[in-house]
Amino acid sequence: MQRFVILLAALLALAPAPLAPAWAQDTLLNVSYDPTRELYRAVNDAFAKAYQAESGRRVAIRTSHGGSGAQARAVLDGLEADVVTLAVASDIDAIAAKGLLAKNWATRLPDDSTPFTSTIVLLVRAGNPKQVKDWPDLIRPGIAVITPNPKTSGGARWNYLAALAWAMRQPGATEASGEEFLRKLFANVPVLDTGARGATNTFVQRGMGDVLIAWENEAMLAQQELGPGKFDVVYPSLSIRAEPPVAVVDSVVDKRGSRAAAEAYLRFLYTKPAQEIAARNHYRPRDTEVAARHAAEFPAIPMVGITEFGGWDKAQAAHFADGGVFDRIFAKGR
Amino acid sequence: MTLAWVGLLVVLPLAALVARPWELGMHGVVASLTQPRVLAALRLSFGMALGAAALNLVLGGLVAWVLVRTRFPGRRLADALVDLPFALPTAVSGIALTTLYAPNGWLGGLAAPFGLSIAYARPGIFIALLFVGLPYMVRAIQPVLHDLPGDVEEAASTLGATHWQIVTRVILPAIAPAAVVGFAMAFARAVGEYGSVIFIAGNMPNRTEIAPLLIVIRLEQLDYAGAAALALAMLALSFLILAALNLLQRRLRRHLA
Amino acid sequence: MTAGVQGGVGLRAPGWERWLAIGLALLVLLVLLVLPLALVFAEALSRGWAGVASALADPDAQSAIRLTLLVAAITVPVNTLGGLAAAWCIARFRFPGRGLLLTIIELPLTISPVISGLVWVLLFGRNGWFGPALGRADIQIVFALPGLVLATLFVTFPFVLRAILPLMQAQGSAEEQAAITLGAPAWRVFLHVTLPNIRFALLQGVLLCNARAMGEFGAVAVVSGRIRGLTNTMPLHIEATYNDYQAQAAFAVAALLALLALVTLAARAGLEWGTRRER
């Protein structure tokens, strides 16, 4: 009987071995957030080719997708991510706070380590039957708004801040009026999915709601994949520049000896081919030349940055932490 | 060997769970458990689970009785189907139930014209919990009903008892202890159910947010202690309810004997 | 218990109430059980058999199927042996803490799957009790196969025991004691006396354990890390493809899993039939 326990222990200890690839090649694990599946599938193929041409080494990239917060937690709990590509900087900050990567990670790559950007838009049903044109329309009675839970979804945090940015730019706006706007907005939300993709599915597949607040790339992808002509994208009068950051996880790459490949992978994101892939997947490229080529697809609208809210540190603590504004919205008036 | 198996696989992990919340301090634990949103989630999870288990008493009892006492074509198939929720992955049941009961689904579409929403509202949670609990109830009652001689019912009927009397005086007392066991199992399964519920629940704080989801949310906010505190609270509550049901079951059994 | 009891007497009192009861019961089964299942298959086949084939041929799907089978292949034997040993102890010996042991074994049934995953993270995660030690030894438990196995073990823990314990308690130990008195060694008694007596109940427990092991979602989601082609089990792969806007592919894998479940159920029903005939 004891022998059996030993056998079990041995089995458990040996188990990781068959999971490691048998042939010699570099492997990278990219732990990413929900709507980037299609993007990184294309990027990974392109990078593998470019990397082999350049260094002569083969590289296989695996990806893991989930809610941005959940993914950060998994990395903190020991998921061996070589690179993290998450929805909001605060999630990478949380990993850095535990010492897994340098605190100054954002400065190690151009543009605050955000190789492409996006913004927050409104997706409505074809012909816009409820005449949703801008943020104030979302708090009208009888409008059902779909947005995910900012506690679990990075995209939802951008949605929330974009709405708040508009409310705070209104004449005579105060913190109280901003909070009141959000309270009315969330009173119109019938379903709070845990991730951006879940919210899109609820809106598009399940037919719930009149308007979906979503990443621009997510809205365009949904339109393209699920029903051309069934949905319209509405650009609000003001939105937020959503900057999903990328970083190499120092402690993991140093342990695995994969730093060179990991850094090459992230640098590749800034190259023209990768920027082109990003643009085709509806992310706004940083590269001016690529951006110019796709200018027609990405209307220029007024956008605020996260600095409007004092950076992610402050925004996270004020709005999304336990007892923050989001909790207050739900504590009151329900 | 038994002890190693139980110790390694159950006691050790549970010890980790029990030990974790206290890093918040007693006050912190109480504070983290008495937030209105937490209380609402606990009320919802336990209320819905108890309600679904109660309705399953009726539905499960009916199905069990029909499967044991009647013959109809396809009975064996129906019998095998009862275990389906048990064998079907919860995520699959969740997606399937949501697709079915969403306003544009096969069944949700029937309710929508009447202004009823099933998916993304409490009825949806209730249906998902009914779904996961049903086999426990049927499988608890079935063997007892099976062993209860049919001639008792027959005799009662010959003596002029109405069907209703047969049900309340003969069948119910006999199956009561087993029904309590089934109720306990269906409840225990339903209260912790996650996979099939998150798809169909609207997940709105204070209204349709179940306690297991709140555990996940806390986990994602890196609030391990808070997550463990809520997990422990759920565990303690269900343990109390199950202990009470166990006591009731023993009373009934003694009463029967 | 004889077959005659349930076969004959009940039948002689038909009447509209009986048919109403049958109708209602079937309606319950239809709405609650059959429709969701039908939907899974209908969606899976919405692009024909070619759609199903291509969904199952996807390398990530293949890896998920392999992983799920591997996890089940490890967890089911472990919990079967453990369950057998525990049932034997509890049914045959009186010892202090016997009731407590039984309660502890049944605990996983009452625990939310999410918590079942969480406990392993609390133990073996980087910030868990054994996290630092494992990190030094470079052993990966959560977010790798061992974590998946442990979470599944925890969730399917009591199934075998629950299936065989009532039977072992009911049968008592007279036969075993007779064999021991005749000088048979303990393991032979177990193999030739105990095991044949409980074999159908045991098989049922094993089948249910297996079904649950393959279908577990909540607990596995917490410890998997969701690495495509590496730590995604079938239920996680279903969720991932569903979220990739490939509902048909998701339902195709779901249908395969449901089919495995149905085979399990059919095997179980067949066994029950066999048991009844044997008696």
Side-chain angles (χ1 to χ4, degrees), chain A residues 179-202:
Chain A
E179 198 175 317
E180 180 60 15
F181 179 78
L182 288 169
R183 198 187 62 73
K184 285 185 182 153
L185 175 73
F186 277 95
N188 276 350
V189 176
V191 185
L192 211 52
D193 281 285
T194 49
R197 213 20 100 69
T200 315
N201 269 322
T202 299

Side-chain angles (χ1 to χ4, degrees), chain B residues 2 9 11 23 36 41 48 60 69 78 87 94 104 107 113 123 135 186-187 200 204 212 234 237:
Chain B
T2 305
L9 289 180
V11 178
E23 61 195 46
M48 283 281 165
R69 284 285 188 266
N104 61 1
L107 291 176
F187 162 77
I200 202 168
M204 296 299 292
M234 278 192 77
L237 265 175

Side-chain angles (χ1 to χ4, degrees), chain A residues 87-300:
Chain A
V88 292
S90 55
D91 284 333
I92 301 187
D93 283 338
I95 304 173
K98 290 278 162 97
L100 268 65
L101 60 119
K103 287 225 165 59
N104 68 346
W105 61 269
T107 61
R108 294 194 295 194
L109 287 165
D111 303 317
D112 290 333
S113 291
T114 52
F116 29 76
T117 67
S118 189
T119 189
I120 299 303
V121 300
L122 309 174
L123 190 68
V124 297
R125 306 203 179 274
N128 201 352
K130 295 268 175 119
Q131 290 299 305
V132 175
K133 299 274 173 60
D134 198 4
W135 295 109
D137 294 322
L138 301 189
I139 63 167
R140 284 200 328 241
I143 297 282
V145 181
I146 306 293
T147 179
N149 187 342
K151 293 252 181 186
T152 48
S153 157
R157 272 173 254 169
W158 290 112
N159 294 353
Y160 172 107
L161 291 176
L164 183 60
W166 178 86
M168 296 304 281
R169 290 287 178 94
Q170 298 316 298
T174 60
E175 287 207 357
S177 74
E179 198 175 317
E180 180 60 15
F181 179 78
L182 288 169
R183 198 187 62 73
K184 285 185 182 153
L185 175 73
F186 277 95
N188 276 350
V189 176
V191 185
L192 211 52
D193 281 285
T194 49
R197 213 20 100 69
T200 315
N201 269 322
T202 299
F203 180 75
V204 173
Q205 313 254 50
R206 298 285 87 77
M208 291 290 291
D210 303 306
V211 51
L212 171 78
I213 315 180
W215 297 92
E216 180 183 43
N217 53 282
E218 184 73 1
M220 290 167 103
L221 182 73
Q223 225 184 355
Q224 170 193 321
E225 292 265 322
L226 292 164
K230 285 195 200 150
F231 305 98
D232 294 336
V233 175
V234 171
Y235 283 89
S237 61
L238 177 79
S239 193
I240 195 163
R241 188 179 310 104
E243 298 174 306
V246 302
V248 166
V249 182
D250 296 315
S251 63
V252 174
V253 294
D254 288 341
K255 191 176 109 191
R256 296 188 60 233
S258 52
R259 181 178 283 280
E263 287 179 344
Y265 180 62
L266 292 190
R267 274 198 311 274
F268 177 76
L269 296 176
Y270 291 86
T271 62
K272 285 205 189 327
Q275 292 279 305
E276 179 64 34
I277 293 173
R280 283 201 199 130
N281 282 281
H282 320 294
Y283 291 82
R284 297 185 173 218
R286 290 281 191 188
D287 186 278
T288 45
E289 198 181 301
V290 178
R293 206 160 41 226
H294 290 271
E297 299 151 46
F298 300 111

Side-chain angles (χ1 to χ4, degrees), chain B residues 84-216:
Chain B
L84 185 74
F86 192 83
L88 208 60
T90 51
V92 174
S93 350
I95 295 175
L97 287 172
T98 312
T99 312
L100 212 53
Y101 288 100
N104 61 1
W106 291 351
L107 291 176
L110 297 178
F114 305 101
L116 287 174
S117 42
I118 299 177
Y120 309 115
R122 290 187 171 184
I125 303 180
F126 195 76
I127 285 176
L129 298 186
L130 265 183
F131 177 82
V132 297
L134 186 70
Y136 290 99
M137 188 63 78
V138 177
R139 292 299 180 236
I141 297 177
Q142 221 175 357
V144 184
L145 218 48
H146 207 281
D147 286 352
L148 182 73
D151 27 336
V152 178
E153 283 170 49
E154 186 79 353
S157 154
T158 322
L159 292 173
T162 63
H163 282 256
W164 182 243
Q165 279 173 324
I166 296 175
V167 169
T168 53
R169 304 271 171 81
V170 180
I171 302 181
L172 282 189
I175 62 168
V180 172
V181 172
F183 182 89
M185 297 291 303
F187 162 77
R189 175 70 206 269
V191 78
E193 181 56 20
Y194 177 72
S196 57
V197 180
I198 47 157
F199 287 98
I200 202 168
N203 301 332
M204 296 299 292
N206 297 331
R207 276 193 299 168
T208 51
E209 184 176 64
I210 54 167
L213 174 64
L214 207 51
I215 296 179
V216 173

